[in-house]
Amino acid sequence: GRIRLAWFDQNGKEVGSVGPPGDYRSLALSPDGARVATARLEARNLDIWVFDIARNTNTRWTSDPGSDDAPVWSRDGSRIAWSSGTSLSGNQRGLFMMPAAGDAKPEMLVPPTPGMFPWDWSGDGHRVLYSASDPKAGKTHLWTVTVDGEKKREPITQTQFNELMPQVSPDGRWISYMSDESGRYEIYVRPFSASPQQGGKIKVSEGGGTSARWR
């Protein structure tokens, strides 16, 4: 379908638009608000496009035959991470990264993994937060991977429940995420530095919650 990307003020009034209408599947605003990264379907192929708001230009950022989706900006706006997969890989997707300036080859951070989806970067820019499915239990948990060196992967949560959509607080000390441990999805906040065993989470929603964002 054709979708418009539009700005709205706090009263719900439309105040502007970004780029032409298109078949957009996800979008991410750069930290400085100057660019928008989107996953856009063109000619049956899903790729990452970047719109420069001030110049009113759009650039096709990936052009591989895979399905590229879920772009996320690093905190300084210098890099973008995204997920990529093919029809042959089923629900397995890899995590890739590339400088936002372009003119570089994508670097794989996580090989094809069931249900892999990137959500945010750590405040220091050294790690990407993502969710992935546990093939044995069929549950989705949260992980981080370092973007430099050995690409070390570490779990954030490892419970018998599903955890999704992690978001890092502006000061980098906390993460919010959604979990169905109460029987339905609610929003929780926990220290980013705590191990899965330490926990320390606080439930902050009541009556259901999803898609939390920090201001």
Side-chain angles (χ1 to χ4, degrees):
R2 308 295 287 179
I3 297 171
R4 291 191 308 113
L5 303 181
W7 292 102
F8 287 81
D9 66 16
Q10 293 179 346
N11 297 315
K13 179 183 178 182
E14 184 174 338
V15 295
S17 61
V18 177
D23 192 347
Y24 301 104
R25 303 300 172 88
S26 59
L27 73 153
L29 186 66
S30 65
D32 62 3
R35 292 165 293 172
V36 178
T38 69
R40 177 179 169 188
L41 188 66
E42 288 283 344
R44 298 184 179 181
N45 198 50
L46 192 63
D47 281 303
I48 306 298
W49 292 69
V50 175
F51 295 110
D52 186 307
I53 297 171
R55 295 183 176 88
N56 195 30
T57 59
N58 58 307
T59 303
R60 186 171 187 160
W61 208 64
T62 64
S63 57
D64 59 273
S67 174
D68 300 306
D69 198 1
V72 285
W73 296 84
S74 62
R75 290 299 174 94
D76 63 359
S78 67
R79 291 178 286 189
I80 300 177
W82 73 95
S83 70
S84 183
T86 67
S87 59
L88 298 178
S89 61
N91 75 330
Q92 296 200 74
R93 303 181 67 83
L95 177 59
F96 292 83
M97 174 192 71
M98 195 161 72
D103 298 327
K105 290 184 178 180
E107 185 176 0
M108 187 168 66
L109 302 178
V110 179
T113 301
M116 199 288 304
F117 206 84
W119 295 103
D120 204 0
W121 289 67
S122 62
D124 60 14
H126 293 319
R127 291 180 287 173
V128 174
L129 286 77
Y130 67 98
S131 56
S133 299
D134 179 352
K136 294 181 180 179
K139 300 295 184 179
T140 300
H141 303 306
L142 308 181
W143 295 75
T144 66
V145 59
T146 56
V147 299
D148 303 306
E150 60 181 309
K151 310 296 185 294
K152 184 179 180 180
R153 301 191 291 272
E154 293 184 335
I156 300 177
T157 60
Q158 284 187 317
T159 69
Q160 64 268 42
F161 308 106
N162 288 296
E163 297 98 17
L164 291 161
M165 305 187 78
Q167 293 288 306
V168 181
S169 64
D171 63 7
R173 296 175 55 196
W174 305 88
I175 63 167
S176 62
Y177 63 98
M178 53 187 281
S179 169
D180 63 358
E181 66 178 75
S182 69
R184 62 181 169 187
Y185 280 110
E186 300 279 5
I187 301 301
Y188 296 81
V189 172
R190 54 162 287 161
F192 189 9
S193 59
S195 70
Q197 291 73 30
Q198 288 175 305
K201 65 181 181 295
I202 302 168
K203 182 168 170 284
V204 298
S205 68
E206 192 66 44
T210 183
S211 306
R213 292 292 186 273
W214 298 84
R215 76 182 284 270

